[in-house]
Amino acid sequence: MFVCICNAITDRQIQETVAAGASSLSDLQAQLGVATCCGCCSDLAASYLNSSNQTQSTVTAGINVQS
Ligand code: FES
């Protein structure tokens, strides 16, 4: 699914970039160019960061790691 129509960026590209270490919308903008034109996709693009962070919190909570 296209998340960013302006730059033809898909959800898969964003997920892969987050998995490779992108941790902020600025990272996604720098690496993919997402949300660098009209900005309509910025909330949706950022939501992939949030879901990733929630997963990390769940995983790290199980091994008692503080961040
Ligand atoms: S839809 Fe992503 S910048 Fe316009």
Side-chain angles (χ1 to χ4, degrees):
M1 173 185 85
F2 282 106
V3 171
C4 180
I5 303 302
C6 293
N7 297 300
I9 306 299
T10 65
D11 57 343
R12 178 167 290 191
Q13 288 175 279
I14 294 172
Q15 289 167 339
E16 288 172 354
T17 304
V18 170
S23 60
S24 68
L25 183 59
S26 293
D27 288 344
L28 295 177
Q29 288 173 314
Q31 294 180 39
L32 294 174
V34 67
T36 58
C37 190
C38 74
C40 291
C41 61
S42 60
D43 285 347
L44 181 55
S47 73
Y48 289 92
L49 296 165
N50 292 339
S51 61
S52 175
N53 289 341
Q54 288 172 356
T55 300
Q56 283 182 332
S57 296
T58 301
V59 171
T60 55
I63 56 172
N64 197 25
V65 173
Q66 302 293 319
S67 58

